[in-house]
Amino acid sequence: MSLDVPALSSEVAKPFLLSLADDELVMGHRLSFWVARGPTIEVDNEVAAIVQDELGHARLWYDVVAEAGETIEDLAFGRPAGQRRNTVLVEAPMADFGETIVRQFLYDRAEELFLSAIRDGDDAELSARAEVALREEAFHREHADVWLDHLSETEESRAHLEAGFEACLPRSRDLFAFPEGTSQELVEAGVLDRAIPTLHTEWIEEVVSTLSDLPLDVPLRTSPIENDAADIPDALEGEPATNGRLGEHTDELVELAENGFTEF
Amino acid sequence: MEFESRREASPEAEEERYDVFVQWRRGKPHEYAETINASDPEMAFLLARRNVDLRSEPLSIWVAPRSSMVQSELGDSTLRPSTDRSYRSVAHYAHGGDYGSEEAAEEAAEEAGQ
């Protein structure tokens, strides 16, 4: 059955949707590390449910961009790292539960914004798929909120969150760093209802607002303020050192792509 | 966080047992579903909702700390009638109305209990 997705006639639509699918696939894969390794069995089950959601969302987007003769598996497991477009935020293997929660928080907030912009866009098929995925995002949001809150309670767990932010903030700089012209074309094609820089601003506002409610010491500024107008936290908005949206990746993803996602 | 063992990650002293009750159909009672270990009600509720079978579409979920429930002890004698009331059951008369005979009463009570 061939799908009717007029927005895909835009040249940037497929790479953009692949970026989202790659994000979900790598995030879901990395998160699956915690299944049977979480603090309790109940938490294992909870994380496993989110893993299923993320991998399910990856399928939604791979499915919609797959061309004749191309399978979801080809797209998910058969592409070398250089062709992948996921953010470097999701690439590192999981090792620390506090860092995992921070990574989920930063990632899921961005994902929710992309999905809401697609849902409110003009392409009926893409909008319907975003709507399905968004139904599960409310739970991911609650998961991050509850865990951030709980891990803010002791000195030890705060240290893990703070280290998590320190590691994740620089890697989240490529979340919205799509190639020049992508944003405008996506809006014109009806894939998104608003520009990517607008989503980026919304994301920064959410991150800053969440952080201001938590008793954490997370410096958002890496350089001194030069004037009153410069109140944009550069820890969030600086140039990405490695931009996954351009196909640049860390060795951790290269390895994962080479082994076909068979190892952690 | 990296933990040497799960036990270290969640020392018993800091976690409590929460019993989870689920209503599966309109008009039906909430049924006991499972017990969750959690640090507080908020976490218990979050974990409960992802540990029950969502594909069966539960209507409503309750969690309550087990410690907040007042419970009877096993074999509590006040949960049984104190005097013989087997004459209240039809089965008692089916045995020829042998009212008063202990044997008949016991037999009747046994049948009524089945």
Side-chain angles (χ1 to χ4, degrees), chain A residues 36-42 44-46 49 53 95-98 139 142 146-147 150-151 160, chain B residues 1-3 6-7 9-10 15 35-40 42-43 45-47 49-51 55:
Chain A
R37 283 196 188 83
T40 64
I41 289 178
E42 290 89 329
D44 286 349
N45 279 348
E46 192 222 353
D53 291 345
D96 181 287
F97 194 70
F139 186 79
E142 186 190 352
V146 170
W147 278 106
H150 279 68
L151 294 179
H160 282 269
Chain B
M1 268 147 262
E2 270 183 279
F3 300 113
R6 287 182 177 235
R7 206 166 165 72
S10 49
E15 294 221 320
T35 301
I36 294 276
N37 291 292
S39 54
D40 57 55
E42 187 187 32
M43 186 61 85
F45 190 49
L46 177 86
L47 295 175
R49 279 174 299 148
R50 280 290 163 127
N51 277 271
R55 287 191 190 90

Side-chain angles (χ1 to χ4, degrees), chain B residues 15-99:
Chain B
E15 294 221 320
E16 221 189 316
R17 288 176 161 215
Y18 287 80
D19 286 327
V20 181
F21 301 87
V22 180
Q23 187 189 28
W24 297 104
R25 295 256 186 87
R26 267 181 71 113
K28 297 289 181 190
H30 283 70
E31 285 173 5
Y32 168 78
E34 63 191 355
T35 301
I36 294 276
N37 291 292
S39 54
D40 57 55
E42 187 187 32
M43 186 61 85
F45 190 49
L46 177 86
L47 295 175
R49 279 174 299 148
R50 280 290 163 127
N51 277 271
V52 302
D53 176 20
L54 294 181
R55 287 191 190 90
S56 301
E57 302 183 20
L59 290 178
S60 141
I61 296 178
W62 294 345
V63 294
R66 181 168 293 179
S67 63
S68 72
M69 282 188 270
V70 182
Q71 294 177 43
S72 62
E73 278 173 37
L74 198 65
D76 184 341
S77 64
T78 64
L79 295 180
R80 290 198 301 272
S82 52
T83 55
D84 176 23
R85 290 190 176 89
S86 59
Y87 63 87
R88 290 184 174 183
S89 107
V90 172
H92 177 79
Y93 298 96
H95 290 270
D98 190 6
Y99 190 71

Side-chain angles (χ1 to χ4, degrees), chain A residues 125-204:
Chain A
E125 178 65 35
L126 297 182
S127 172
R129 284 171 186 245
E131 174 87 49
V132 167
L134 273 171
R135 270 184 239 142
E136 288 161 343
E137 287 305 315
F139 186 79
H140 299 185
R141 169 177 280 267
E142 186 190 352
H143 164 86
D145 285 345
V146 170
W147 278 106
L148 282 178
D149 210 35
H150 279 68
L151 294 179
S152 292
E153 281 171 19
T154 72
E155 203 176 316
E156 190 194 347
S157 59
R158 276 195 296 274
H160 282 269
L161 287 185
E162 285 163 4
F165 274 105
E166 201 179 319
C168 289
L169 285 178
R171 290 194 218 128
S172 62
R173 286 178 178 176
D174 68 353
L175 271 169
F176 300 89
F178 288 89
E180 190 83 28
T182 299
S183 173
Q184 199 188 341
E185 205 176 319
L186 288 174
V187 174
E188 279 167 16
V191 176
L192 300 176
D193 78 320
R194 53 201 194 276
I196 292 175
T198 307
L199 299 175
H200 192 191
T201 307
E202 291 173 23
W203 180 79
I204 290 173

Side-chain angles (χ1 to χ4, degrees), chain A residues 25 62 71-81 83-84 256-258 260-261:
Chain A
L25 176 75
Y62 284 134
T71 67
I72 292 176
E73 284 67 28
D74 294 337
L75 291 169
F77 305 127
R79 289 151 57 229
Q83 286 180 22
R84 292 179 184 267
L256 197 60
E258 276 171 7
F261 286 71

